Amino acid sequence: MESFGIYVHIPFCRRKCFYCDFPSYAGAESWMSRYREALCREIAAQGSRCLGTARTVYIGGGTPTALAADDLLAVICALCESFRLTGEEEFTVEANPGTVDAKLLERLREAGVNRLSFGVQSFSDALLSAIGRIHTAREAEDAVRMAQKAGFRVSLDLMYGLPGQALADLKDSVARAAALGIGHISIYGLAVEDGTPFACMEEAGRLHLPTDDECGDMYDYITAELPHLGYRRYEISNYAKAGEESRHNLAYWQDVPYIGLGAAAHSYWHGRRMENEKGLCRYIACIEAGLSAAREEAPCSRENHIEEFAFLALRTADGIDKKRFRGTFASDVHEVYGEVIALLQAAGLVEETAVSIRLTEQGMKFGNRVFEAFLLERDET
Ligand code: SF4
């Protein structure tokens, strides 16, 4: 029986951060209990069809901890009742430091959650306010300490390239994250996405971002300092102490199947990619009408599958496992990508070991150039 991951999407936030284009709603509290009911119904229906064992569970969003504690616990309870869980799985809940207290953490721990991923983004109060976060740096530190005390493995998200951010701010945030003794740090550069308040501000000339050179200095600092502090870079944006890697995310990058539950959640199952109804009301209406909320995305051709396999594996420090590639596609990776690999090797962007093709440090920095080269040519006729 196959093993798989479970992703559950909670599309609510207390307030939208100014950079965020994730599918989440602020001010939609009146929908929460109907959403919880629909989600639990979908969980029960999907669980009855899955015979394998879930190795990882990840409740993300949005902000799962924006739900009332009873609603969030009901979702966890539905997962435990409907899927085969052994108690050994990595069970993560994303949390906003402004939405947790000791009582909630205790209940989550008792329910089987063993890992918390906090969106912190920065330990500068001025920057937190400039990007629309609802918490302070102090609240973030308190939340992490509370989580550690309750026995969770803890991950933090940080950001760089924020408006008004200087290298000194980033250095301070990295130092304060490491000083908390957490095992995992994800760190992302700000991208201004269409439809966000930051995109409007940019258009109006009111968004003052660090220059490319300044962002480059921040990137160089992160990639040098985190390993120095004991965090291995195991994926382009993710760093972990030994054994603290996110098993759930590693499974995504290693082509492992997963089931997505909730509005806008994606699934990858028996080689098919599905996306659940994105809109909150439409998702609820589908489930309440006894219909499936899932729609199949464009069928995944062999070329699509090879490209995705390559892109996802290349994001990781281990790179493309040559044996797994052969096992999955019945072709040697050199038969498909021999020319590309040779060119990128000559440019110093990828390297080959006995077992894998992986990005060099330069390749990690210019990942998009590498991924573009791994797109396959298609016969247009
Ligand atoms: S808390 Fe997370 S999901 Fe919610 S608006 Fe902010 S960044 Fe987006």
Side-chain angles (χ1 to χ4, degrees), residues 239-251:
Y239 297 76
K241 292 191 174 162
E244 291 289 330
E245 295 82 3
S246 162
R247 298 212 299 269
H248 185 79
N249 286 341
L250 272 174

Side-chain angles (χ1 to χ4, degrees), residues 9-26 60-64 94-97 119 121 131-135 157 159:
H9 191 70
I10 306 294
F12 301 105
C13 289
R14 291 266 171 89
R15 188 170 83 191
K16 282 298 273 188
C17 303
F18 303 153
Y19 55 88
C20 179
D21 73 338
F22 298 147
S24 73
Y25 300 81
T63 306
E94 280 182 355
N96 183 311
Q121 320 312 356
I131 63 176
R133 301 290 298 177
I134 60 167
H135 57 85
D157 287 358
M159 293 178 81

Side-chain angles (χ1 to χ4, degrees), residues 122-351:
S122 170
F123 283 97
S124 151
D125 285 339
L127 286 175
L128 289 171
S129 149
I131 63 176
R133 301 290 298 177
I134 60 167
H135 57 85
T136 62
R138 176 71 193 272
E139 281 167 338
E141 285 171 332
D142 289 348
V144 168
R145 289 198 187 99
M146 249 191 299
Q148 289 168 321
K149 200 165 159 215
F152 291 97
R153 292 165 60 202
V154 175
S155 173
L156 281 191
D157 287 358
L158 294 177
M159 293 178 81
Y160 69 97
L162 300 174
Q165 189 180 32
L167 181 58
D169 297 313
L170 178 72
K171 286 184 176 180
D172 180 62
S173 287
V174 168
R176 284 170 75 172
L180 287 165
I182 52 167
H184 189 279
I185 298 177
S186 302
I187 190 153
Y188 303 98
L190 174 75
V192 178
E193 304 290 353
D194 288 347
T196 59
F198 271 177
C200 298
M201 287 167 70
E202 189 172 51
E203 213 176 301
R206 289 190 291 111
L207 189 69
H208 304 296
L209 298 174
T211 63
D212 287 349
D213 281 350
E214 286 168 334
C215 286
D217 289 346
M218 291 187 207
Y219 175 93
D220 291 340
Y221 177 75
I222 291 159
T223 52
E225 182 64 6
L226 284 174
H228 177 67
L229 292 168
Y231 296 90
R232 182 177 81 96
R233 188 183 197 184
Y234 72 101
E235 194 266 351
I236 287 183
S237 307
N238 287 280
Y239 297 76
K241 292 191 174 162
E244 291 289 330
E245 295 82 3
S246 162
R247 298 212 299 269
H248 185 79
N249 286 341
L250 272 174
Y252 285 146
W253 301 317
Q254 291 168 347
D255 204 41
V256 172
Y258 52 89
I259 294 178
L261 301 155
H266 291 255
S267 303
Y268 174 52
W269 197 249
H270 297 305
R272 294 166 67 199
R273 294 200 176 272
M274 317 283 285
E275 182 184 13
N276 270 4
E277 196 54 77
K278 247 196 180 109
L280 177 61
C281 310
R282 284 205 303 275
Y283 168 81
I284 293 174
C286 263
I287 302 288
E288 287 180 349
L291 303 170
S292 163
R295 309 276 172 270
E296 181 152 14
E297 293 178 7
C300 190
S301 66
R302 184 170 187 271
E303 279 88 359
N304 291 138
H305 190 191
I306 290 176
E307 285 168 351
E308 283 187 15
F309 185 101
F311 298 159
L312 292 172
L314 281 168
R315 293 189 63 86
T316 66
D318 291 341
I320 301 172
D321 182 312
K322 293 190 273 191
K323 199 167 149 200
R324 269 197 343 110
F325 188 96
R326 204 177 312 115
T328 308
F329 301 110
S331 297
D332 189 277
V333 66
H334 286 281
E335 273 173 54
V336 183
Y337 285 122
E339 224 173 285
V340 170
I341 292 168
L343 279 171
L344 293 171
Q345 258 181 316
L349 297 174
V350 303
E351 62 191 5

Side-chain angles (χ1 to χ4, degrees), residues 8 36 39-40 43 59 67 71-79:
V8 179
R36 184 253 297 150
L39 180 57
C40 290
I43 289 171
I59 304 184
L67 282 181
D71 286 338
L72 181 54
L73 268 295
V75 171
I76 293 170
C77 192
L79 287 165

